[in-house]
């Protein structure tokens, strides 16, 4: 079946099988930041943005991307690197495997919440798992990133 969509800002037409998972499809297209974790929609490693909303690509069929804008970490490398640095500086990048999901969900959260509290951050990111450091370091890094962005806007 044929789908038409935008992947990281580039309009594409692709022929896919109806049962292809979005996760597998995106990895075939070179989006290796989209990771396979639990395969049960519980860990957040496979998170991508579809029309600016977080989607778990391990439980979403690729046909759902038809007519949509899909963004992976590859499509927002500058922003992701900036946020990733704050997370790493707090010691939350022991293995780094969970970071793409955390980063994608953080940017989705910022589309919905302009000045999130620590509790809102924890709630929004509760679908992401980190087996190395938990949420403390990620949350601290995100809060410091938000303070940095707010200071930039005020300057």
């Amino acid at each position: 079946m044929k789908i038409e969509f935008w992947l990281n800002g580039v309009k594409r037409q692709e022929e896919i099988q109806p049962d292809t998972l979005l996760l597998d499809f995106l990895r075939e297209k070179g989006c290796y930041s989209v990771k396979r974790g639990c395969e049960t929609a519980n860990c957040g490693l496979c998170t991508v943005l579809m029309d600016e909303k977080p989607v778990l690509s391990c439980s979403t069929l690729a046909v759902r991307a038809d007519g949509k804008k899909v963004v992976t970490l590859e499509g927002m490398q500058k922003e992701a690197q900036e946020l990733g640095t704050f997370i790493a500086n707090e010691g939350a990048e022991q293995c780094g495997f969970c970071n793409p999901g955390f980063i994608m969900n953080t940017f989705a959260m910022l589309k919905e919440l302009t000045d999130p509290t620590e509790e809102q951050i924890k709630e929004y990111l509760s679908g992401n798992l980190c087996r190395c450091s938990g949420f403390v370091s990620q949350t601290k890094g995100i809060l410091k990133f938000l303070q940095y962005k707010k200071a930039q806007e005020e300057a």
Side-chain angles (χ1 to χ4, degrees), residues 14-63:
E14 299 285 342
E15 191 71 34
I16 62 166
Q17 296 298 314
D19 62 347
T20 301
L21 289 174
L22 184 58
L23 167 71
D24 297 324
F25 176 71
L26 292 172
R27 288 187 62 84
E28 286 173 13
K29 300 303 166 204
C31 298
Y32 300 117
S33 68
V34 185
K35 296 181 179 172
R36 186 178 307 283
C38 65
E39 297 188 75
T40 60
N42 286 308
C43 72
L45 290 174
C46 65
T47 302
V48 299
L49 301 182
M50 186 179 293
D51 287 346
E52 299 186 345
K53 302 284 184 204
V55 171
L56 297 170
S57 63
C58 75
S59 61
T60 303
L61 292 174
V63 297

Side-chain angles (χ1 to χ4, degrees), residues 11-147:
K11 191 170 185 177
R12 301 181 69 142
Q13 290 184 355
E14 299 285 342
E15 191 71 34
I16 62 166
Q17 296 298 314
D19 62 347
T20 301
L21 289 174
L22 184 58
L23 167 71
D24 297 324
F25 176 71
L26 292 172
R27 288 187 62 84
E28 286 173 13
K29 300 303 166 204
C31 298
Y32 300 117
S33 68
V34 185
K35 296 181 179 172
R36 186 178 307 283
C38 65
E39 297 188 75
T40 60
N42 286 308
C43 72
L45 290 174
C46 65
T47 302
V48 299
L49 301 182
M50 186 179 293
D51 287 346
E52 299 186 345
K53 302 284 184 204
V55 171
L56 297 170
S57 63
C58 75
S59 61
T60 303
L61 292 174
V63 297
R64 300 271 321 261
D66 190 35
K68 306 264 197 257
K69 294 179 180 175
V70 178
V71 178
T72 68
L73 215 54
E74 287 82 3
M76 53 189 325
Q77 287 194 0
K78 183 179 182 243
E79 302 95 331
Q81 183 177 8
E82 189 175 47
L83 174 55
T85 299
F86 280 87
I87 291 173
N89 287 343
E90 291 302 315
E93 195 175 74
Q94 290 179 31
C95 80
F97 198 67
C98 65
N99 282 350
F102 272 103
I103 291 169
M104 295 305 290
N105 276 306
T106 298
F107 284 114
M109 174 186 67
L110 294 176
K111 298 270 186 201
E112 292 182 31
L113 307 173
T114 53
D115 193 18
T117 65
E118 185 172 343
E119 285 305 310
Q120 287 174 313
I121 292 169
K122 287 178 183 177
E123 183 178 327
Y124 206 95
L125 300 178
S126 64
N128 290 79
L129 296 181
C130 173
R131 291 181 170 91
C132 296
S133 64
F135 290 93
V136 175
S137 298
Q138 283 91 349
T139 303
K140 283 182 184 177
I142 291 165
L143 285 168
K144 286 184 178 180
F145 171 76
L146 294 175
Q147 290 170 351

